[in-house]
Amino acid sequence: MSIEIRNVSKQFGDFHALRDVSLDIASGELIALLGPSGCGKTTLLRIIAGLETADVGSIHFSGEDTTDVHVRERNVGFVFQHYALFRHMTVFENVAFPLREHTALPDALVRDLVLLKLNAVGLRGAAQFRISQLSGGMARRVALARAIALDPPLIMYDEPFAGLDPISLATVAHLIRNL
């Protein structure tokens, strides 16, 4: 899926998070947004995903205007900087959540899909762990498994390597490249 960002601006009060941003991302391309804290990277990702609304500008997925398309209809996987995992749920339940929320799949198929995604991120054996039992690298991989649960054509990561030790960083980087 290609992404075309045209003249996007976003302001929070007097603060201009984004000013007239335009960017073309080809289908299958892996890109990184780099810049200092507060320069608008997260805001741009949230606008692309539909979690924020641009004040001005448009977002197109594969030539189709998605500027006013609701976040649920955009089919974008998003791994948040702070994971946004449900602490009261197990690893399995966290990954199953989008499948149960957005599909009418039978429980057996949900189970199989969750185990497939957990296997893809190297956590099949951690399905019954509580989120509080996980290391930072494991929690990041749970968030990734949840983001890919619905097989979205677009996956976005907000600071995917922040706070990871070198071994976890290498593991997560490898997973991102492979996905």
Side-chain angles (χ1 to χ4, degrees):
M1 165 190 324
S2 65
I3 305 169
E4 300 89 35
I5 302 161
R6 294 287 172 260
N7 309 105
V8 168
S9 294
K10 179 68 177 179
Q11 192 170 333
F12 298 100
D14 291 336
F15 176 71
H16 291 271
L18 299 170
R19 289 186 197 203
D20 199 31
V21 174
S22 294
L23 177 65
D24 290 324
I25 304 166
S27 184
E29 190 172 20
L30 176 66
I31 70 156
L33 300 174
L34 302 174
S37 182
C39 74
K41 301 177 302 288
T42 296
T43 300
L44 182 59
L45 291 177
R46 291 179 60 84
I47 288 171
I48 294 167
L51 297 167
E52 289 281 347
T53 304
D55 297 332
V56 177
S58 64
I59 306 292
H60 292 77
F61 290 169
S62 298
E64 184 177 327
D65 189 348
T66 57
T67 306
D68 297 320
V69 174
H70 191 274
V71 62
R72 286 180 175 251
E73 308 303 317
R74 290 193 191 196
N75 197 19
V76 173
F78 199 110
V79 179
F80 295 91
Q81 180 178 355
H82 298 289
Y83 318 135
L85 297 173
F86 301 117
R87 300 196 63 74
H88 66 286
M89 294 181 180
T90 64
V91 166
F92 180 95
E93 291 165 335
N94 266 274
V95 178
F97 182 81
L99 293 165
R100 291 186 172 136
E101 188 72 18
H102 300 287
T103 71
L105 297 173
D107 286 344
L109 185 53
V110 168
R111 184 193 72 244
D112 292 347
L113 287 170
V114 169
L115 294 177
L116 182 70
K117 301 307 178 184
L118 288 175
N119 192 51
V121 299
L123 290 177
R124 187 176 179 122
Q128 295 310 313
F129 286 17
R130 290 275 179 211
I131 299 305
S132 61
Q133 295 174 290
L134 304 178
S135 68
M138 291 174 79
R140 179 97 38 181
R141 288 186 282 153
V142 172
L144 179 55
R146 187 177 63 195
I148 64 171
L150 293 170
D151 293 320
L154 172 62
I155 304 169
M156 296 191 304
Y157 308 88
D158 190 2
E159 301 204 24
F161 309 121
L164 294 180
D165 63 84
I167 294 172
S168 294
L169 188 148
T171 301
V172 172
H174 178 76
L175 288 169
I176 289 172
R177 272 193 307 274
N178 287 342
L179 290 171

